[in-house]
Amino acid sequence: GKGNHVHDVGAIQADRAVPRSSFVFYYEATVLDSGTRGSFALGFAESGFDLTRKPGWEPHSYGYHCEEGRKHSGSERGEPYGPPCGAQDVVGCGIVF
């Protein structure tokens, strides 16, 4: 159901890991609908990541929170990074190992 505060989130995770042989990994997602709150994030996390949290809030995860334009790495605080994004935007997410 509809959450009551900003910590009510759900997440999806890819069914395949980033290949271990990769030095750089990148993907893009098209935002079809940003929801009534416009709150969503893209990122990277370990396979055991808590899917009730946004990527970047927990240790060993990294995320770009689109509604605020902040990047997060193991912290809910985050730091300014880029423009906010929403419906119809194409958002890229990459990592260098």
Side-chain angles (χ1 to χ4, degrees):
K2 185 176 178 182
N4 294 322
H5 54 76
V6 297
H7 292 331
D8 287 335
V9 301
I12 59 172
Q13 193 170 50
D15 58 356
R16 295 184 194 174
V18 173
R20 291 189 184 269
S21 61
S22 294
F23 177 68
V24 175
F25 189 82
Y26 176 83
Y27 69 92
E28 291 182 344
T30 301
V31 182
L32 300 177
D33 183 339
S34 57
T36 56
R37 293 187 183 172
S39 178
F40 63 98
L42 292 112
F44 293 93
E46 295 179 324
S47 62
F49 182 73
D50 180 356
L51 296 179
T52 65
R53 305 283 288 160
K54 284 186 178 179
W57 280 350
E58 299 296 321
H60 311 292
S61 70
Y62 308 90
Y64 180 69
H65 296 201
C66 295
E67 72 279 5
E68 61 187 11
R70 298 175 76 85
K71 65 179 179 176
H72 295 252
S73 177
S75 168
E76 289 187 28
R77 176 173 284 168
E79 62 183 85
Y81 187 70
C85 50
Q88 306 308 311
D89 286 334
V90 176
V91 184
C93 186
I95 191 167
V96 177
F97 296 99

